[in-house]
Amino acid sequence: MGRRVAVVGSGLAGLATAHMLQTGGCEVELFERADSVGMDAGSLTVDGVRVDVPFRVMTPDYYPYLHALYGHLGIKFAAADYSMGFADEQGEPVWSYVNRPLGCYVAPIPDDVRRGARLAITRDWVRLAFACVTAMRAPALLRPGGRLSHMTIGQYLSRERYDRVFVDRVFVPFIASMLTCSISAATAYPATTIMHLVAKVLCGGRVRKARDGVQEVCALLTRGLDNNMHLGAQIDRLVLAADNDDDNDNDNAGGGSTDGRRVMLATADGKERWFDDVVLATPADTAARLLAGAQQTKRAARRAPGAYPPGELLDALRSVPYEDTSVFTHRDAAVMPARRAEWRGVNIRTAPGENRAMASHWINYVEQTSASGRVLGSDVFQTVDPLAELDPAKVISTTTFHRSLVTIESQAHINTVHRHQGRCGVWLVGTYTAPGVPLLEGCVRTAVDVVRAIVGDVPFDAPRMLRAGKGGGAPYEVGLAPGMARGEIVEAYFECDAAGTFAFARPPLAVCGAGLGAWLQAWALWLGFTVLLPLAALLSSAGDAVARAALGPDFGLRLQLVALDILIYAAWAAQAAYRWLTAQG
């Protein structure tokens, strides 16, 4: 008798789980309440080009699980340029940058750092980057119980006295646009999560996308599932047997499975199916509703009435906040800066009193390749939460997404969810069950963890979460499989990711075949990320502490800002020298 598993939900978490379980020998059935696969439901074809909605990009360093899964599927990657511009409510530029390629990496170069507010914003970016890198090199600051663990990013920026223009017009809108959430939700994110993200993106490779879009990803993940995919299938209720319950009574729709299976799914059309396990790849609020209404078989109720789900698991699921976000695909250039020369890959606009930052992707600039080889015939934009009404005649599509958020409370509850995984055959996957910001990476992280617990391993080389043994003991693995530590996933996440952040191979001493420019780029990258950035972060942190202690917090901060101004001008001079040298070579 093969192991039968139901997967509820067809976002990336559900599709990845179903694919890996099927590859591992399970009989998998996939249930989706919509009439199409959820991950690709909003995407569309424009001028013969498939456009993902919402637009999805990744970096290998912040998305190691997703990168490994795509490699296993044979997904081809394409570079995506996420240069950014920030503007006020009138569309007037506040600050912007372009990306300069450095081999497999890019360096964000501000458009102008030599005057007024732009210099102050650049200085605060550099200052924050140093702080994030310092935190990554001391993961005890990030994990639960660390000095930063009970502070929101808004509280951190206020405590460290970052300039309000930088905070309100640039950094918080940047986070809100990246996570497709409101300004208030972005401000309430844990400081640890945001600083970890900034450090990984800063030291990561070039932003890239699935070259042929998520349509190809969905096709590959659902291959072989055609006969076991139930679209338009609304789950009405769950019936749970006790673990190892082999009760053969089958009366009152709650006696138990006649073949010893543990979980029964009843769909709205009245059909009932029994499985060994059910994986809920749904939003946390949907999972909480299903589990709160779950029934028990008669024998399970006699053994331990009301034992599952435990109250703390339901509290953890209900602690996850959600927001609805609208994404418009359109041709209305009114969302862009007035001067075309100031258009960037992502254009972010804010207005006083508005709790949303309008982020407009210039698809022609960001989407530089397509499966068909065609290019968009005219400018196409993808705007999240417009601040003004778009021209209806220029709107191509409108899609609303239900987005999970992260707060200090919900991040702490991730360990609670981890402890209760698999009880009575119920597993939970999705962004809210994984540490970090709620992006595609969290979907694959939890899918890998659950599949390893059910079938033993996954069909590709996925990372493992190892923690150093206490008191110098042997390292141990954190996960859901037998013998692994549970309830420490947040701690393991910060420690493991921090450990590998600054691992770069030293370039050759001799000029390589690609020429002087490539050799200079490789050495600039290695020296910058491996030597100069960590050293500058260390000196900045130490100098800041000494100056504030000796001169007081106000004068110490001013001294630090002057030092950063000098560093920015030195970097600008080095960039000019680099351009001259490569021109000569």
Side-chain angles (χ1 to χ4, degrees):
M1 183 174 60
R3 191 159 184 168
R4 296 191 65 210
V5 184
V7 177
V8 182
S10 65
L12 179 59
L15 294 180
T17 304
H19 168 78
M20 289 186 285
L21 287 173
Q22 180 179 247
T23 304
C26 293
E27 181 185 343
V28 180
E29 293 193 41
L30 183 67
F31 296 83
E32 168 57 51
R33 68 178 179 181
D35 294 327
S36 59
V37 174
M39 185 183 182
D40 193 42
S43 302
L44 69 158
T45 301
V46 181
D47 297 340
V49 177
R50 188 70 177 177
V51 177
D52 291 346
V53 181
F55 198 80
R56 297 174 173 94
V57 296
M58 56 172 284
T59 61
D61 296 83
Y62 197 73
Y63 295 73
Y65 284 77
L66 180 67
H67 195 259
L69 173 64
Y70 279 10
H72 158 70
L73 295 174
I75 299 293
K76 295 182 175 61
F77 295 102
D81 193 325
Y82 252 43
S83 60
M84 289 191 176
F86 300 83
D88 61 18
E89 62 274 18
Q90 303 300 324
E92 288 300 315
V94 173
W95 189 81
S96 60
Y97 71 89
V98 295
N99 288 316
R100 184 173 301 283
L102 286 172
C104 295
Y105 297 82
V106 292
I109 306 297
D111 286 313
D112 189 355
V113 300
R114 291 170 290 171
R115 69 173 192 269
R118 287 179 177 258
L119 174 61
I121 292 170
T122 302
R123 174 210 298 147
D124 274 351
W125 265 118
V126 175
R127 182 180 166 212
L128 183 61
F130 284 168
C132 294
V133 171
T134 300
M136 285 293 288
R137 297 180 69 85
L141 294 173
L142 300 177
R143 64 183 178 225
R147 182 160 52 87
L148 298 175
S149 62
H150 297 292
M151 189 178 299
T152 67
I153 189 62
Q155 290 169 339
Y156 175 82
L157 295 171
S158 177
R159 189 193 73 174
E160 297 299 319
R161 301 167 64 184
Y162 282 85
D163 184 79
R164 294 312 308 175
V165 174
F166 169 74
V167 173
D168 297 337
R169 293 288 194 180
V170 177
F171 186 71
V172 172
F174 161 74
I175 296 300
S177 65
M178 189 171 187
L179 306 181
T180 56
C181 67
S182 64
I183 295 292
S184 57
T187 305
Y189 260 74
T192 55
T193 299
I194 298 302
M195 295 177 75
H196 174 263
L197 169 67
V198 172
K200 296 292 286 187
V201 171
L202 175 71
C203 299
R206 296 187 68 173
V207 172
R208 60 190 70 183
K209 63 177 288 289
R211 190 194 68 181
D212 299 335
V214 298
Q215 186 178 43
E216 182 192 24
V217 176
C218 290
L220 292 172
L221 289 175
T222 56
R223 187 168 52 193
L225 284 172
D226 294 343
N227 296 329
N228 289 323
M229 287 180 59
H230 307 285
L231 300 179
Q234 175 72 43
I235 303 302
D236 189 47
R237 61 191 171 90
L238 302 178
V239 176
L240 307 175
D243 288 330
N244 301 316
D245 186 356
D246 56 0
D247 185 359
N248 288 327
D249 295 334
N250 198 29
D251 55 337
N252 295 328
S257 167
T258 57
D259 51 13
R261 304 196 191 274
R262 296 189 293 173
V263 187
M264 189 268 279
L265 289 185
T267 49
D269 59 5
K271 293 182 180 178
E272 299 179 352
R273 301 173 178 87
W274 281 92
F275 298 91
D276 295 288
D277 300 273
V278 60
V279 180
L280 298 181
T282 67
D285 47 7
T286 301
R289 177 179 56 79
L290 286 172
L291 292 180
Q295 301 173 3
Q296 292 179 299
T297 61
K298 291 190 298 184
R299 177 170 292 186
R302 287 197 302 268
R303 290 177 178 175
Y308 188 87
E312 68 170 1
L313 176 59
L314 292 178
D315 289 343
L317 296 176
R318 290 165 178 161
S319 75
V320 180
Y322 279 84
E323 286 185 345
D324 290 333
T325 298
S326 297
V327 178
F328 294 77
T329 303
H330 62 96
R331 300 184 187 273
D332 190 349
V335 299
M336 303 295 281
R339 293 177 289 278
R340 190 179 179 92
E342 292 167 346
W343 290 13
R344 297 292 178 263
V346 183
N347 304 269
I348 300 172
R349 187 181 298 185
T350 54
E354 292 286 349
N355 194 31
R356 290 277 178 177
M358 181 178 74
S360 297
H361 294 69
W362 182 17
I363 300 298
N364 308 63
Y365 187 88
V366 179
E367 173 86 43
Q368 299 181 4
T369 59
S370 68
S372 63
R374 300 179 182 178
V375 295
L376 293 166
S378 59
D379 289 325
V380 175
F381 313 100
Q382 198 172 104
T383 298
V384 179
D385 293 327
L387 293 177
E389 185 177 357
L390 300 172
D391 183 348
K394 297 180 179 179
V395 175
I396 301 171
S397 73
T398 304
T399 310
T400 300
F401 295 93
H402 194 49
R403 296 294 202 192
S404 66
L405 308 172
V406 179
T407 64
I408 291 175
E409 179 188 11
S410 68
Q411 180 169 269
H413 278 312
I414 292 172
N415 281 343
T416 303
V417 174
H418 200 252
R419 284 195 299 271
H420 290 286
Q421 289 275 33
R423 287 187 55 188
C424 294
V426 176
W427 306 86
L428 302 158
V429 297
T431 56
Y432 69 91
T433 66
V437 297
L439 299 171
L440 296 180
E441 173 69 3
C443 297
V444 184
R445 278 181 182 268
T446 53
V448 166
D449 205 7
V450 166
V451 172
R452 280 175 172 160
I454 294 177
V455 300
D457 208 352
V458 295
F460 57 93
D461 186 19
R464 293 187 177 272
M465 307 291 279
L466 293 173
R467 294 197 70 193
K470 297 177 177 62
Y476 61 93
E477 188 168 359
V478 176
L480 299 175
M484 296 183 186
R486 287 186 172 225
E488 302 177 21
I489 193 68
V490 177
E491 294 87 340
Y493 172 75
F494 286 123
E495 291 177 13
C496 293
D497 273 17
T501 298
F502 302 96
F504 298 100
R506 184 177 63 81
L509 293 174
V511 176
C512 54
L516 177 62
W519 184 80
L520 285 172
Q521 286 182 357
W523 270 98
L525 176 70
W526 186 81
L527 288 171
F529 281 144
T530 308
V531 180
L532 298 181
L533 185 59
L535 180 60
L538 176 63
L539 292 176
S540 173
S541 178
D544 180 45
V546 171
R548 293 190 186 209
L551 305 173
D554 292 337
F555 191 79
L557 177 60
R558 286 198 293 270
L559 185 63
Q560 183 190 50
L561 298 181
V562 169
L564 288 174
D565 286 346
I566 295 172
L567 178 64
I568 291 168
Y569 281 121
W572 177 78
Q575 180 190 358
Y578 166 77
R579 289 177 177 172
W580 183 84
L581 283 172
T582 51
Q584 301 304 310

PDB file of all heavy atoms in Angstrom, residues 341-358:
ATOM      1  N   ALA A 341      14.471  59.879 -19.300  1.00  0.00           N
ATOM      2  CA  ALA A 341      15.848  59.554 -18.911  1.00  0.00           C
ATOM      3  C   ALA A 341      15.931  59.126 -17.450  1.00  0.00           C
ATOM      4  O   ALA A 341      16.926  58.507 -17.048  1.00  0.00           O
ATOM      5  CB  ALA A 341      16.763  60.755 -19.154  1.00  0.00           C
ATOM      6  N   GLU A 342      14.922  59.454 -16.651  1.00  0.00           N
ATOM      7  CA  GLU A 342      14.919  59.106 -15.233  1.00  0.00           C
ATOM      8  C   GLU A 342      14.122  57.836 -14.942  1.00  0.00           C
ATOM      9  O   GLU A 342      13.969  57.457 -13.790  1.00  0.00           O
ATOM     10  CB  GLU A 342      14.367  60.277 -14.421  1.00  0.00           C
ATOM     11  CG  GLU A 342      15.313  61.486 -14.455  1.00  0.00           C
ATOM     12  CD  GLU A 342      14.667  62.754 -13.931  1.00  0.00           C
ATOM     13  OE1 GLU A 342      13.422  62.766 -13.792  1.00  0.00           O
ATOM     14  OE2 GLU A 342      15.397  63.726 -13.680  1.00  0.00           O
ATOM     15  N   TRP A 343      13.612  57.154 -15.977  1.00  0.00           N
ATOM     16  CA  TRP A 343      12.929  55.892 -15.765  1.00  0.00           C
ATOM     17  C   TRP A 343      13.937  54.830 -15.362  1.00  0.00           C
ATOM     18  O   TRP A 343      15.044  54.753 -15.912  1.00  0.00           O
ATOM     19  CB  TRP A 343      12.228  55.437 -17.052  1.00  0.00           C
ATOM     20  CG  TRP A 343      11.037  56.271 -17.442  1.00  0.00           C
ATOM     21  CD1 TRP A 343      10.685  57.494 -16.940  1.00  0.00           C
ATOM     22  CD2 TRP A 343      10.081  55.948 -18.450  1.00  0.00           C
ATOM     23  NE1 TRP A 343       9.557  57.961 -17.563  1.00  0.00           N
ATOM     24  CE2 TRP A 343       9.153  57.026 -18.494  1.00  0.00           C
ATOM     25  CE3 TRP A 343       9.905  54.882 -19.308  1.00  0.00           C
ATOM     26  CZ2 TRP A 343       8.079  57.025 -19.379  1.00  0.00           C
ATOM     27  CZ3 TRP A 343       8.832  54.890 -20.180  1.00  0.00           C
ATOM     28  CH2 TRP A 343       7.926  55.957 -20.216  1.00  0.00           C
ATOM     29  N   ARG A 344      13.574  54.003 -14.420  1.00  0.00           N
ATOM     30  CA  ARG A 344      14.419  52.901 -13.975  1.00  0.00           C
ATOM     31  C   ARG A 344      13.622  51.594 -14.056  1.00  0.00           C
ATOM     32  O   ARG A 344      12.438  51.588 -14.376  1.00  0.00           O
ATOM     33  CB  ARG A 344      14.903  53.144 -12.533  1.00  0.00           C
ATOM     34  CG  ARG A 344      15.775  54.370 -12.377  1.00  0.00           C
ATOM     35  CD  ARG A 344      17.115  54.199 -13.073  1.00  0.00           C
ATOM     36  NE  ARG A 344      17.963  55.384 -12.974  1.00  0.00           N
ATOM     37  CZ  ARG A 344      18.060  56.317 -13.913  1.00  0.00           C
ATOM     38  NH1 ARG A 344      17.326  56.216 -15.017  1.00  0.00           N
ATOM     39  NH2 ARG A 344      18.865  57.343 -13.754  1.00  0.00           N
ATOM     40  N   GLY A 345      14.262  50.480 -13.736  1.00  0.00           N
ATOM     41  CA  GLY A 345      13.563  49.203 -13.765  1.00  0.00           C
ATOM     42  C   GLY A 345      12.372  49.186 -12.830  1.00  0.00           C
ATOM     43  O   GLY A 345      11.294  48.684 -13.166  1.00  0.00           O
ATOM     44  N   VAL A 346      12.564  49.737 -11.609  1.00  0.00           N
ATOM     45  CA  VAL A 346      11.479  49.857 -10.626  1.00  0.00           C
ATOM     46  C   VAL A 346      11.407  51.321 -10.216  1.00  0.00           C
ATOM     47  O   VAL A 346      12.423  51.916  -9.825  1.00  0.00           O
ATOM     48  CB  VAL A 346      11.720  48.971  -9.389  1.00  0.00           C
ATOM     49  CG1 VAL A 346      10.539  49.070  -8.437  1.00  0.00           C
ATOM     50  CG2 VAL A 346      11.953  47.521  -9.800  1.00  0.00           C
ATOM     51  N   ASN A 347      10.230  51.905 -10.312  1.00  0.00           N
ATOM     52  CA  ASN A 347      10.031  53.323 -10.033  1.00  0.00           C
ATOM     53  C   ASN A 347       9.043  53.453  -8.883  1.00  0.00           C
ATOM     54  O   ASN A 347       7.885  53.039  -8.999  1.00  0.00           O
ATOM     55  CB  ASN A 347       9.508  54.026 -11.282  1.00  0.00           C
ATOM     56  CG  ASN A 347      10.434  53.832 -12.470  1.00  0.00           C
ATOM     57  OD1 ASN A 347      11.333  54.622 -12.714  1.00  0.00           O
ATOM     58  ND2 ASN A 347      10.224  52.749 -13.218  1.00  0.00           N
ATOM     59  N   ILE A 348       9.508  54.026  -7.767  1.00  0.00           N
ATOM     60  CA  ILE A 348       8.727  54.058  -6.534  1.00  0.00           C
ATOM     61  C   ILE A 348       8.356  55.504  -6.216  1.00  0.00           C
ATOM     62  O   ILE A 348       9.210  56.387  -6.207  1.00  0.00           O
ATOM     63  CB  ILE A 348       9.523  53.438  -5.369  1.00  0.00           C
ATOM     64  CG1 ILE A 348       9.863  51.977  -5.706  1.00  0.00           C
ATOM     65  CG2 ILE A 348       8.749  53.531  -4.071  1.00  0.00           C
ATOM     66  CD1 ILE A 348      10.791  51.320  -4.724  1.00  0.00           C
ATOM     67  N   ARG A 349       7.071  55.714  -5.953  1.00  0.00           N
ATOM     68  CA  ARG A 349       6.573  57.055  -5.665  1.00  0.00           C
ATOM     69  C   ARG A 349       5.811  57.034  -4.343  1.00  0.00           C
ATOM     70  O   ARG A 349       5.050  56.100  -4.078  1.00  0.00           O
ATOM     71  CB  ARG A 349       5.668  57.548  -6.790  1.00  0.00           C
ATOM     72  CG  ARG A 349       5.229  58.993  -6.660  1.00  0.00           C
ATOM     73  CD  ARG A 349       4.315  59.414  -7.811  1.00  0.00           C
ATOM     74  NE  ARG A 349       4.971  59.330  -9.101  1.00  0.00           N
ATOM     75  CZ  ARG A 349       4.405  59.738 -10.241  1.00  0.00           C
ATOM     76  NH1 ARG A 349       3.175  60.243 -10.227  1.00  0.00           N
ATOM     77  NH2 ARG A 349       5.079  59.632 -11.374  1.00  0.00           N
ATOM     78  N   THR A 350       6.018  58.035  -3.520  1.00  0.00           N
ATOM     79  CA  THR A 350       5.312  58.158  -2.244  1.00  0.00           C
ATOM     80  C   THR A 350       4.624  59.510  -2.167  1.00  0.00           C
ATOM     81  O   THR A 350       4.986  60.460  -2.878  1.00  0.00           O
ATOM     82  CB  THR A 350       6.283  58.017  -1.055  1.00  0.00           C
ATOM     83  OG1 THR A 350       7.362  58.957  -1.217  1.00  0.00           O
ATOM     84  CG2 THR A 350       6.851  56.620  -0.972  1.00  0.00           C
ATOM     85  N   ALA A 351       3.628  59.590  -1.303  1.00  0.00           N
ATOM     86  CA  ALA A 351       2.896  60.844  -1.093  1.00  0.00           C
ATOM     87  C   ALA A 351       2.593  60.985   0.387  1.00  0.00           C
ATOM     88  O   ALA A 351       2.307  59.998   1.067  1.00  0.00           O
ATOM     89  CB  ALA A 351       1.610  60.854  -1.910  1.00  0.00           C
ATOM     90  N   PRO A 352       2.659  62.209   0.936  1.00  0.00           N
ATOM     91  CA  PRO A 352       2.360  62.420   2.361  1.00  0.00           C
ATOM     92  C   PRO A 352       0.958  61.932   2.707  1.00  0.00           C
ATOM     93  O   PRO A 352      -0.008  62.147   1.971  1.00  0.00           O
ATOM     94  CB  PRO A 352       2.471  63.941   2.518  1.00  0.00           C
ATOM     95  CG  PRO A 352       3.327  64.390   1.381  1.00  0.00           C
ATOM     96  CD  PRO A 352       3.020  63.461   0.253  1.00  0.00           C
ATOM     97  N   GLY A 353       0.847  61.239   3.848  1.00  0.00           N
ATOM     98  CA  GLY A 353      -0.446  60.765   4.307  1.00  0.00           C
ATOM     99  C   GLY A 353      -0.899  59.457   3.681  1.00  0.00           C
ATOM    100  O   GLY A 353      -1.896  58.879   4.128  1.00  0.00           O
ATOM    101  N   GLU A 354      -0.204  58.986   2.649  1.00  0.00           N
ATOM    102  CA  GLU A 354      -0.568  57.721   2.011  1.00  0.00           C
ATOM    103  C   GLU A 354       0.165  56.575   2.698  1.00  0.00           C
ATOM    104  O   GLU A 354       1.366  56.681   2.979  1.00  0.00           O
ATOM    105  CB  GLU A 354      -0.209  57.737   0.520  1.00  0.00           C
ATOM    106  CG  GLU A 354      -1.040  58.700  -0.304  1.00  0.00           C
ATOM    107  CD  GLU A 354      -2.452  58.196  -0.530  1.00  0.00           C
ATOM    108  OE1 GLU A 354      -2.727  57.012  -0.236  1.00  0.00           O
ATOM    109  OE2 GLU A 354      -3.290  59.001  -0.994  1.00  0.00           O
ATOM    110  N   ASN A 355      -0.553  55.478   2.933  1.00  0.00           N
ATOM    111  CA  ASN A 355       0.046  54.314   3.596  1.00  0.00           C
ATOM    112  C   ASN A 355       0.570  53.294   2.583  1.00  0.00           C
ATOM    113  O   ASN A 355       0.913  52.178   2.959  1.00  0.00           O
ATOM    114  CB  ASN A 355      -0.982  53.649   4.516  1.00  0.00           C
ATOM    115  CG  ASN A 355      -0.341  52.659   5.468  1.00  0.00           C
ATOM    116  OD1 ASN A 355       0.818  52.821   5.881  1.00  0.00           O
ATOM    117  ND2 ASN A 355      -1.059  51.601   5.805  1.00  0.00           N
ATOM    118  N   ARG A 356       0.626  53.678   1.322  1.00  0.00           N
ATOM    119  CA  ARG A 356       1.124  52.803   0.279  1.00  0.00           C
ATOM    120  C   ARG A 356       2.203  53.504  -0.520  1.00  0.00           C
ATOM    121  O   ARG A 356       2.139  54.717  -0.727  1.00  0.00           O
ATOM    122  CB  ARG A 356       0.000  52.379  -0.677  1.00  0.00           C
ATOM    123  CG  ARG A 356      -0.996  51.423  -0.045  1.00  0.00           C
ATOM    124  CD  ARG A 356      -0.485  50.011  -0.107  1.00  0.00           C
ATOM    125  NE  ARG A 356      -1.410  49.066   0.530  1.00  0.00           N
ATOM    126  CZ  ARG A 356      -1.225  47.753   0.556  1.00  0.00           C
ATOM    127  NH1 ARG A 356      -0.152  47.235  -0.008  1.00  0.00           N
ATOM    128  NH2 ARG A 356      -2.075  46.968   1.159  1.00  0.00           N
ATOM    129  N   ALA A 357       3.200  52.747  -0.958  1.00  0.00           N
ATOM    130  CA  ALA A 357       4.184  53.245  -1.900  1.00  0.00           C
ATOM    131  C   ALA A 357       3.846  52.646  -3.259  1.00  0.00           C
ATOM    132  O   ALA A 357       3.696  51.433  -3.390  1.00  0.00           O
ATOM    133  CB  ALA A 357       5.593  52.843  -1.477  1.00  0.00           C
ATOM    134  N   MET A 358       3.674  53.496  -4.261  1.00  0.00           N
ATOM    135  CA  MET A 358       3.353  53.009  -5.595  1.00  0.00           C
ATOM    136  C   MET A 358       4.638  52.562  -6.286  1.00  0.00           C
ATOM    137  O   MET A 358       5.546  53.357  -6.504  1.00  0.00           O
ATOM    138  CB  MET A 358       2.670  54.099  -6.417  1.00  0.00           C
ATOM    139  CG  MET A 358       2.282  53.652  -7.815  1.00  0.00           C
ATOM    140  SD  MET A 358       1.423  54.946  -8.757  1.00  0.00           S
ATOM    141  CE  MET A 358       2.800  56.045  -9.136  1.00  0.00           C
TER     142      MET A 358
END
